[in-house]
Amino acid sequence: ISAVSQLEAAQANLLNLNAMTTKIRTELMAGINNYRVSKGKTAATAGDSILQKAADIRANDLFTYYEHTRPNGQDYLDLTIKLGYQQGVAFNENIMLYDQISSGSLKDLGQTGLEDWIASPAHNATLLSSSVKFASVGVSIKEVSAGVVKVGLALEVAEPW
C-alpha cells in the first residue's frame, strides 16, 4: 500500500470516528433526557460551550486516569470552574471507560452507556437528580488496533443553586 493510500485510509477512519463520536453524544444525551422524563423529571438543557468543553476534556482524561480525579491530581470540579463556568452552580459527573471494544459495537454505545449508568445506583442518582438543569456529554474514541477502540464517556451536569 502506498503512503498516499495509507494517508487516505487514516483520514477516512478519522472522519468515521468523528462521525461516531457525534452520533454517540447525540444518542446518549437524547437517551438521558428520555429517561429523565419517563421518571417524572424535566429534561436537561444542553450545556453551554464551557460545560461541553469540560465533558470533552474529561472523556479524554479517562484514557490516562479513570477516576473522578483528573490526571494532574485535581478534582474534576476544578476543571469546569477553571474553564470559566459561572459561580453558584454545583457540578456532578458520570464517567465510563470502555476498553478494547470492537469498533463495530460503537453503533450501540449511546444506549449501552445509558444502560450501564442506570444500572449503577450512584450514576443513576446523578441522571435523575431533580436539581440538574444543564448537561453535556463528552465522548472520546481512540483506536487501539485495527478494529479495536477505547471509548471514554463523561456526563457533566450543572445544578444552579
Side-chain angles (χ1 to χ4, degrees):
I1 298 178
S2 73
V4 171
S5 296
Q6 287 177 335
L7 178 60
E8 287 171 349
Q11 288 172 333
N13 187 48
L14 181 60
L15 288 174
N16 185 41
L17 290 180
N18 287 341
M20 191 56 66
T21 296
T22 300
K23 178 183 184 295
I24 293 167
R25 176 183 293 120
T26 302
E27 288 178 358
L28 187 51
M29 189 66 200
I32 288 166
N33 276 332
N34 289 338
Y35 178 61
R36 286 179 58 80
V37 169
S38 78
K39 298 297 183 182
K41 308 296 180 189
T42 59
T45 301
D48 63 11
S49 61
I50 295 171
L51 197 61
Q52 184 60 57
K53 185 173 183 177
D56 292 338
I57 290 170
R58 289 296 295 133
N60 195 57
D61 279 354
L62 300 178
F63 297 131
T64 307
Y65 198 64
Y66 182 51
E67 292 290 337
H68 290 286
T69 305
R70 299 202 55 230
N72 64 6
Q74 295 179 339
D75 191 274
Y76 73 92
L77 298 169
D78 297 334
L79 172 64
T80 311
I81 299 299
K82 277 187 178 177
L83 291 173
Y85 208 87
Q86 63 192 18
Q87 298 294 322
V89 176
F91 300 102
N92 208 339
E93 79 171 0
N94 282 354
I95 57 174
M96 185 70 67
L97 179 65
Y98 295 93
D99 198 15
Q100 306 286 324
I101 64 171
S102 158
S103 57
S105 65
L106 285 175
K107 64 182 175 24
D108 300 319
L109 199 59
Q111 182 63 36
T112 301
L114 178 60
E115 290 170 1
D116 289 344
W117 281 338
I118 290 170
S120 162
H123 291 105
N124 191 50
T126 298
L127 293 175
L128 294 178
S129 172
S130 294
S131 55
V132 167
K133 177 130 173 88
F134 303 104
S136 291
V137 173
V139 179
S140 189
I141 304 172
K142 288 195 178 186
E143 189 171 38
V144 176
S145 60
V148 179
V149 295
K150 283 183 167 185
V151 181
L153 301 178
L155 169 67
E156 302 297 317
V157 299
E159 304 172 349
W161 298 336

